[in-house]
mmCIF file of all heavy atoms in Angstrom:
data_model
loop_
_atom_site.group_PDB
_atom_site.id
_atom_site.type_symbol
_atom_site.label_atom_id
_atom_site.label_comp_id
_atom_site.label_asym_id
_atom_site.label_seq_id
_atom_site.Cartn_x
_atom_site.Cartn_y
_atom_site.Cartn_z
ATOM 1 N N MET A 6 0.774 -1.141 0.034
ATOM 2 C CA MET A 6 0.005 -0.005 -0.061
ATOM 3 C C MET A 6 0.920 1.245 -0.043
ATOM 4 O O MET A 6 1.931 1.245 0.632
ATOM 5 C CB MET A 6 -0.875 -0.009 1.154
ATOM 6 C CG MET A 6 -1.865 1.162 1.281
ATOM 7 S SD MET A 6 -3.149 0.826 2.503
ATOM 8 C CE MET A 6 -4.282 -0.188 1.688
ATOM 9 N N CYS A 8 0.229 4.274 1.158
ATOM 10 C CA CYS A 8 -0.397 5.243 2.125
ATOM 11 C C CYS A 8 0.665 5.665 3.193
ATOM 12 O O CYS A 8 1.261 4.845 3.795
ATOM 13 C CB CYS A 8 -1.581 4.550 2.829
ATOM 14 S SG CYS A 8 -2.232 5.588 4.219
ATOM 15 N N PHE A 10 0.399 7.219 5.957
ATOM 16 C CA PHE A 10 0.102 6.881 7.350
ATOM 17 C C PHE A 10 0.261 5.387 7.645
ATOM 18 O O PHE A 10 0.643 5.006 8.764
ATOM 19 C CB PHE A 10 -1.221 7.455 7.769
ATOM 20 C CG PHE A 10 -1.322 8.919 7.857
ATOM 21 C CD1 PHE A 10 -2.527 9.597 7.942
ATOM 22 C CD2 PHE A 10 -0.184 9.708 7.788
ATOM 23 C CE1 PHE A 10 -2.662 11.006 8.018
ATOM 24 C CE2 PHE A 10 -0.283 11.076 7.870
ATOM 25 C CZ PHE A 10 -1.473 11.742 7.992
ATOM 26 N N CYS A 11 -0.143 4.562 6.688
ATOM 27 C CA CYS A 11 0.145 3.120 6.854
ATOM 28 C C CYS A 11 1.593 2.802 6.931
ATOM 29 O O CYS A 11 1.965 1.975 7.714
ATOM 30 C CB CYS A 11 -0.552 2.265 5.798
ATOM 31 S SG CYS A 11 -2.388 2.264 5.759
ATOM 32 N N PRO A 47 -6.556 6.073 12.921
ATOM 33 C CA PRO A 47 -6.859 4.694 13.234
ATOM 34 C C PRO A 47 -5.744 3.769 12.736
ATOM 35 O O PRO A 47 -5.153 4.064 11.706
ATOM 36 C CB PRO A 47 -8.225 4.409 12.530
ATOM 37 C CG PRO A 47 -8.236 5.318 11.388
ATOM 38 C CD PRO A 47 -7.404 6.509 11.789
ATOM 39 N N ARG A 49 -6.424 0.934 11.456
ATOM 40 C CA ARG A 49 -7.001 0.316 10.230
ATOM 41 C C ARG A 49 -7.131 1.371 9.117
ATOM 42 O O ARG A 49 -7.537 2.482 9.416
ATOM 43 C CB ARG A 49 -8.476 -0.235 10.598
ATOM 44 C CG ARG A 49 -9.109 -0.888 9.431
ATOM 45 C CD ARG A 49 -10.380 -1.704 9.923
ATOM 46 N NE ARG A 49 -11.278 -0.956 10.679
ATOM 47 C CZ ARG A 49 -12.361 -0.331 10.240
ATOM 48 N NH1 ARG A 49 -12.580 -0.302 8.898
ATOM 49 N NH2 ARG A 49 -13.175 0.268 10.906
ATOM 50 N N HIS A 50 -6.714 0.998 7.955
ATOM 51 C CA HIS A 50 -6.776 1.983 6.850
ATOM 52 C C HIS A 50 -8.281 2.202 6.512
ATOM 53 O O HIS A 50 -8.996 1.338 6.088
ATOM 54 C CB HIS A 50 -5.964 1.491 5.645
ATOM 55 C CG HIS A 50 -6.046 2.417 4.504
ATOM 56 N ND1 HIS A 50 -5.113 3.531 4.441
ATOM 57 C CD2 HIS A 50 -6.856 2.510 3.414
ATOM 58 C CE1 HIS A 50 -5.487 4.135 3.293
ATOM 59 N NE2 HIS A 50 -6.481 3.611 2.702
ATOM 60 N N ILE A 51 -8.662 3.443 6.538
ATOM 61 C CA ILE A 51 -9.990 3.952 6.024
ATOM 62 C C ILE A 51 -9.602 5.133 5.271
ATOM 63 O O ILE A 51 -9.130 6.080 5.832
ATOM 64 C CB ILE A 51 -11.004 4.248 7.130
ATOM 65 C CG1 ILE A 51 -11.149 3.003 8.123
ATOM 66 C CG2 ILE A 51 -12.261 4.763 6.637
ATOM 67 C CD1 ILE A 51 -11.902 3.337 9.352
ATOM 68 N N ALA A 52 -9.877 5.169 3.967
ATOM 69 C CA ALA A 52 -9.447 6.252 3.121
ATOM 70 C C ALA A 52 -10.048 7.627 3.436
ATOM 71 O O ALA A 52 -9.326 8.622 3.554
ATOM 72 C CB ALA A 52 -9.594 5.889 1.623
ATOM 73 N N THR A 53 -11.320 7.687 3.507
ATOM 74 C CA THR A 53 -11.992 8.972 3.752
ATOM 75 C C THR A 53 -13.217 8.756 4.737
ATOM 76 O O THR A 53 -13.705 7.603 5.008
ATOM 77 C CB THR A 53 -12.580 9.549 2.410
ATOM 78 O OG1 THR A 53 -13.868 8.897 2.035
ATOM 79 C CG2 THR A 53 -11.608 9.599 1.318
ATOM 80 N N LEU A 54 -13.681 9.893 5.226
ATOM 81 C CA LEU A 54 -14.826 9.794 6.093
ATOM 82 C C LEU A 54 -15.998 9.144 5.328
ATOM 83 O O LEU A 54 -16.863 8.527 5.959
ATOM 84 C CB LEU A 54 -15.238 11.223 6.621
ATOM 85 C CG LEU A 54 -14.197 11.805 7.547
ATOM 86 C CD1 LEU A 54 -14.504 13.285 7.770
ATOM 87 C CD2 LEU A 54 -14.019 11.101 8.843
ATOM 88 N N ASN A 55 -16.042 9.306 4.079
ATOM 89 C CA ASN A 55 -17.138 8.660 3.267
ATOM 90 C C ASN A 55 -17.181 7.163 3.319
ATOM 91 O O ASN A 55 -18.153 6.549 2.903
ATOM 92 C CB ASN A 55 -17.121 9.201 1.888
ATOM 93 C CG ASN A 55 -17.383 10.683 1.684
ATOM 94 O OD1 ASN A 55 -17.986 11.214 2.482
ATOM 95 N ND2 ASN A 55 -16.910 11.211 0.522
ATOM 96 N N ASP A 56 -16.010 6.695 3.685
ATOM 97 C CA ASP A 56 -15.861 5.173 3.681
ATOM 98 C C ASP A 56 -16.231 4.549 5.078
ATOM 99 O O ASP A 56 -16.185 3.353 5.276
ATOM 100 C CB ASP A 56 -14.456 4.751 3.383
ATOM 101 C CG ASP A 56 -14.104 5.187 1.960
ATOM 102 O OD1 ASP A 56 -14.804 4.928 1.026
ATOM 103 O OD2 ASP A 56 -13.017 5.870 1.786
ATOM 104 N N LEU A 57 -16.665 5.377 6.040
ATOM 105 C CA LEU A 57 -17.101 4.879 7.304
ATOM 106 C C LEU A 57 -18.411 4.190 7.260
ATOM 107 O O LEU A 57 -19.256 4.518 6.354
ATOM 108 C CB LEU A 57 -17.193 6.019 8.301
ATOM 109 C CG LEU A 57 -15.905 6.692 8.722
ATOM 110 C CD1 LEU A 57 -16.144 8.008 9.522
ATOM 111 C CD2 LEU A 57 -14.952 5.760 9.537
ATOM 112 N N ASP A 61 -18.328 1.621 12.520
ATOM 113 C CA ASP A 61 -17.132 2.463 12.886
ATOM 114 C C ASP A 61 -17.447 3.410 13.979
ATOM 115 O O ASP A 61 -16.574 4.175 14.361
ATOM 116 C CB ASP A 61 -16.598 3.057 11.624
ATOM 117 C CG ASP A 61 -15.991 2.057 10.626
ATOM 118 O OD1 ASP A 61 -15.333 1.138 11.017
ATOM 119 O OD2 ASP A 61 -16.233 2.264 9.417
ATOM 120 N N TRP A 90 -11.583 17.331 10.921
ATOM 121 C CA TRP A 90 -11.541 16.282 9.975
ATOM 122 C C TRP A 90 -11.649 16.966 8.541
ATOM 123 O O TRP A 90 -12.491 17.752 8.404
ATOM 124 C CB TRP A 90 -12.833 15.410 10.135
ATOM 125 C CG TRP A 90 -13.027 14.693 11.427
ATOM 126 C CD1 TRP A 90 -13.750 15.126 12.445
ATOM 127 C CD2 TRP A 90 -12.581 13.429 11.792
ATOM 128 N NE1 TRP A 90 -13.721 14.186 13.434
ATOM 129 C CE2 TRP A 90 -12.957 13.106 13.052
ATOM 130 C CE3 TRP A 90 -11.794 12.434 11.114
ATOM 131 C CZ2 TRP A 90 -12.694 11.918 13.717
ATOM 132 C CZ3 TRP A 90 -11.424 11.292 11.719
ATOM 133 C CH2 TRP A 90 -11.950 11.036 13.032
ATOM 134 N N ASN A 91 -10.840 16.400 7.641
ATOM 135 C CA ASN A 91 -10.931 16.810 6.291
ATOM 136 C C ASN A 91 -11.386 15.661 5.437
ATOM 137 O O ASN A 91 -10.982 14.577 5.685
ATOM 138 C CB ASN A 91 -9.609 17.378 5.770
ATOM 139 C CG ASN A 91 -9.074 18.598 6.502
ATOM 140 O OD1 ASN A 91 -9.931 19.493 6.844
ATOM 141 N ND2 ASN A 91 -7.840 18.696 6.871
ATOM 142 N N CYS A 92 -12.212 15.939 4.394
ATOM 143 C CA CYS A 92 -12.699 14.866 3.491
ATOM 144 C C CYS A 92 -12.530 15.249 1.989
ATOM 145 O O CYS A 92 -13.154 16.130 1.628
ATOM 146 C CB CYS A 92 -14.109 14.491 3.922
ATOM 147 S SG CYS A 92 -14.670 13.042 3.006
ATOM 148 N N ASN A 93 -11.733 14.421 1.339
ATOM 149 C CA ASN A 93 -11.481 14.581 -0.008
ATOM 150 C C ASN A 93 -10.817 15.926 -0.411
ATOM 151 O O ASN A 93 -10.478 16.755 0.433
ATOM 152 C CB ASN A 93 -12.780 14.314 -0.901
ATOM 153 C CG ASN A 93 -13.128 12.847 -0.955
ATOM 154 O OD1 ASN A 93 -12.176 12.084 -0.971
ATOM 155 N ND2 ASN A 93 -14.378 12.584 -0.890
ATOM 156 N N GLN A 98 -8.302 17.345 2.409
ATOM 157 C CA GLN A 98 -7.651 16.033 2.680
ATOM 158 C C GLN A 98 -6.412 15.871 1.753
ATOM 159 O O GLN A 98 -6.588 15.878 0.598
ATOM 160 C CB GLN A 98 -8.612 14.921 2.620
ATOM 161 C CG GLN A 98 -8.004 13.550 3.065
ATOM 162 C CD GLN A 98 -8.979 12.414 3.165
ATOM 163 O OE1 GLN A 98 -10.144 12.573 2.711
ATOM 164 N NE2 GLN A 98 -8.615 11.327 3.718
ATOM 165 N N ALA A 99 -5.267 15.676 2.350
ATOM 166 C CA ALA A 99 -3.976 15.440 1.575
ATOM 167 C C ALA A 99 -3.521 14.061 1.725
ATOM 168 O O ALA A 99 -3.023 13.542 0.682
ATOM 169 C CB ALA A 99 -2.953 16.444 2.055
ATOM 170 N N VAL A 100 -3.815 13.336 2.796
ATOM 171 C CA VAL A 100 -3.444 11.970 2.973
ATOM 172 C C VAL A 100 -4.738 11.133 3.081
ATOM 173 O O VAL A 100 -5.580 11.467 3.917
ATOM 174 C CB VAL A 100 -2.521 11.805 4.199
ATOM 175 C CG1 VAL A 100 -2.230 10.244 4.428
ATOM 176 C CG2 VAL A 100 -1.199 12.572 4.100
ATOM 177 N N TYR A 101 -4.920 10.129 2.180
ATOM 178 C CA TYR A 101 -6.181 9.386 2.234
ATOM 179 C C TYR A 101 -6.142 8.192 3.091
ATOM 180 O O TYR A 101 -6.133 7.096 2.721
ATOM 181 C CB TYR A 101 -6.499 9.027 0.703
ATOM 182 C CG TYR A 101 -7.056 10.223 0.091
ATOM 183 C CD1 TYR A 101 -6.226 11.251 -0.463
ATOM 184 C CD2 TYR A 101 -8.400 10.542 -0.074
ATOM 185 C CE1 TYR A 101 -6.644 12.412 -1.050
ATOM 186 C CE2 TYR A 101 -8.905 11.618 -0.636
ATOM 187 C CZ TYR A 101 -8.023 12.581 -1.166
ATOM 188 O OH TYR A 101 -8.546 13.795 -1.763
ATOM 189 N N HIS A 102 -6.086 8.561 4.417
ATOM 190 C CA HIS A 102 -6.290 7.708 5.586
ATOM 191 C C HIS A 102 -6.830 8.601 6.606
ATOM 192 O O HIS A 102 -6.192 9.571 6.956
ATOM 193 C CB HIS A 102 -4.820 7.179 6.025
ATOM 194 C CG HIS A 102 -4.831 6.244 7.176
ATOM 195 N ND1 HIS A 102 -4.230 4.995 6.970
ATOM 196 C CD2 HIS A 102 -5.353 6.295 8.429
ATOM 197 C CE1 HIS A 102 -4.354 4.362 8.170
ATOM 198 N NE2 HIS A 102 -4.973 5.137 8.979
ATOM 199 N N ILE A 103 -8.029 8.372 7.048
ATOM 200 C CA ILE A 103 -8.724 9.337 7.866
ATOM 201 C C ILE A 103 -7.854 9.675 9.091
ATOM 202 O O ILE A 103 -7.034 8.858 9.629
ATOM 203 C CB ILE A 103 -10.099 8.844 8.349
ATOM 204 C CG1 ILE A 103 -10.032 7.694 9.285
ATOM 205 C CG2 ILE A 103 -11.044 8.718 7.131
ATOM 206 C CD1 ILE A 103 -11.314 7.380 9.920
ATOM 207 N N HIS A 104 -7.915 10.952 9.464
ATOM 208 C CA HIS A 104 -7.086 11.450 10.580
ATOM 209 C C HIS A 104 -7.791 12.725 11.197
ATOM 210 O O HIS A 104 -8.448 13.421 10.417
ATOM 211 C CB HIS A 104 -5.688 11.816 10.205
ATOM 212 C CG HIS A 104 -5.546 12.649 8.964
ATOM 213 N ND1 HIS A 104 -5.860 12.229 7.664
ATOM 214 C CD2 HIS A 104 -5.181 13.894 8.871
ATOM 215 C CE1 HIS A 104 -5.556 13.208 6.806
ATOM 216 N NE2 HIS A 104 -5.183 14.259 7.527
#
Side-chain angles (χ1 to χ4, degrees):
M6 182 169 280
C8 172
F10 290 169
C11 287
R49 180 168 55 92
H50 181 85
I51 303 169
T53 77
L54 294 172
N55 293 336
D56 298 309
L57 292 169
D61 294 315
W90 296 96
N91 297 321
C92 185
N93 286 325
Q98 186 174 6
V100 177
Y101 284 80
H102 182 125
I103 64 168
H104 51 287

